[in-house]
Amino acid sequence: MSATSALRRAATVTALTAASVLVAAGVASAHVTVHPESYAKGATDGVLTFRVPNEEDTASTTRVQVFLPTDHPVLGVLVSPRDGWTAKVTTAKLKTPVKTDDGTITEAASEITWTGGKIGAGQFEDFDVAFGQLPEDTGRLTFKTLQTYSDGKVVRWIEEPADGADEPENPAPTLELTAAGAGTASTAPAESGAKATANASADDSTARGLGIAGLIAGVLGLAAATFAFVRTRGARS
């Protein structure tokens, strides 16, 4: 193999490897998520933020449906206005009424649908939902979500994660409910939903960025070593 051919091959491998790393990182973060990722059981007066990224290159997201569990209901749901979007909250009768200090609750929000807006390619939208109280009798809430695109495609983010298993292909946004007083628990929001979402996103982006930077640095180092080897071999020839 000539020095030129070896160098060209090393450069191709480097480019392909770096591109694969970047693509993988983008795919891993493209699903609908809920922030923060955890709250204390029975937490009151908080905010949940549903982050919806657009993963299509040729279509926009035009409809988002989030389904709230009614077997472990979220009480006192209020939707924050979002420019360009209209929100509709659907309620359902509870099979098991919930007793609170303010009386017995017999129905709760079961679905929130946002329409009228648009999330373009390479963009995302945050939808804030305030709640009065989270359930105390479960350790996890799953919010199955349907994402509809302008071309008619519907992505069903409805798969529930299994303990110890890999993340499913279309995972539903999941909120972990921790014991009161646990390190990640919160009985009340310490910051606004938008700020909490921004901080969570920043942490995720930083960790992802450091990982990507390390991998790319390793690939570039390998390419440099290959180049040096080829030059030395060519000089000896």
Side-chain angles (χ1 to χ4, degrees), residues 32-33 35 49-54 61 64 81-85 114 117-120 122-128 147 197:
V32 179
T33 52
H35 302 273
T49 299
F50 293 92
R51 171 159 292 184
V52 183
N54 189 94
T61 296
V64 177
R82 178 65 58 188
D83 290 345
W85 294 88
W114 286 272
K118 183 176 68 173
I119 308 174
Q123 300 177 340
F124 70 90
E125 190 78 69
D126 283 345
F127 299 95
D128 293 337
Q147 181 178 10
T197 300

Side-chain angles (χ1 to χ4, degrees), residues 35-36 38-40 43-49 129-132 134 185-196:
H35 302 273
S38 68
Y39 255 112
T44 58
D45 301 326
V47 175
L48 298 175
T49 299
V129 177
F131 62 82
L134 295 178
S186 173
T187 56
E191 52 195 357
S192 69
K195 184 176 180 181

Side-chain angles (χ1 to χ4, degrees), residues 39-207:
Y39 255 112
K41 294 180 179 180
T44 58
D45 301 326
V47 175
L48 298 175
T49 299
F50 293 92
R51 171 159 292 184
V52 183
N54 189 94
E55 58 178 6
E56 294 291 322
D57 295 330
T58 59
S60 300
T61 296
T62 56
R63 181 185 179 96
V64 177
Q65 295 169 269
V66 175
F67 296 89
L68 287 71
T70 54
D71 52 346
H72 303 288
V74 178
L75 305 180
V77 167
L78 294 173
V79 180
S80 176
R82 178 65 58 188
D83 290 345
W85 294 88
T86 299
K88 177 183 178 181
V89 179
T90 302
T91 60
K93 290 285 186 179
L94 300 178
K95 292 182 179 180
T96 304
V98 179
K99 294 182 178 181
T100 70
D101 294 338
D102 298 322
T104 300
I105 306 298
T106 59
E107 64 178 34
S110 60
E111 178 186 343
I112 305 174
T113 301
W114 286 272
T115 56
K118 183 176 68 173
I119 308 174
Q123 300 177 340
F124 70 90
E125 190 78 69
D126 283 345
F127 299 95
D128 293 337
V129 177
F131 62 82
Q133 184 176 339
L134 295 178
E136 300 178 342
D137 57 352
T138 185
R140 175 184 294 166
L141 292 178
T142 300
F143 301 96
K144 296 182 179 182
T145 301
L146 301 184
Q147 181 178 10
T148 302
Y149 286 90
S150 56
D151 61 1
K153 178 181 178 180
V154 178
V155 180
R156 301 168 60 83
W157 303 103
I158 62 173
E159 297 180 81
E160 300 187 33
D163 293 334
D166 293 337
E167 185 177 71
E169 183 177 354
N170 293 310
T174 301
L175 178 70
E176 299 295 332
L177 297 181
T178 62
T184 57
S186 173
T187 56
E191 52 195 357
S192 69
K195 184 176 180 181
T197 300
N199 289 342
S201 177
D203 291 342
D204 291 345
S205 297
T206 299

